[in-house]
Amino acid sequence: MWKCKECGGEIIASVSGTIKGGWRYPNEDGNADILSDYNLDYEVDCYDCIRCGKLGTKIEEIAVWED
């Protein structure tokens, strides 16, 4: 799970594409793979911390991966 470098909160991926918009928890590669199960064309717009609101377009800038 991705954790915010600033506060330790969970990171979500905000996505858009053939879906109107939404979010998912990103996997270790930073992708929202669960959406691939539905054959949707999507891209990650940004990554957000659900606790402090920090956001960025590159997940490595705002978060660290923890098993």
Side-chain angles (χ1 to χ4, degrees):
M1 174 176 298
W2 287 96
K3 297 283 185 168
C4 178
K5 289 180 180 179
E6 192 166 307
C7 73
E10 293 180 2
I11 300 294
I12 58 172
S14 295
V15 298
S16 65
T18 56
I19 57 174
K20 291 185 180 185
W23 64 272
R24 294 288 185 258
Y25 291 104
N27 65 13
E28 191 170 356
D29 296 327
N31 297 318
D33 280 345
I34 192 166
L35 297 177
S36 298
D37 296 341
Y38 299 103
N39 294 319
L40 296 172
D41 182 26
Y42 75 95
E43 66 180 56
V44 174
D45 294 324
C46 65
Y47 299 96
D48 307 275
C49 174
I50 60 175
R51 185 183 299 163
C52 72
K54 187 167 181 77
L55 60 94
T57 56
K58 296 184 180 177
I59 198 166
E60 297 86 4
E61 292 175 352
I62 66 165
V64 294
W65 178 258
E66 294 182 3
D67 286 325

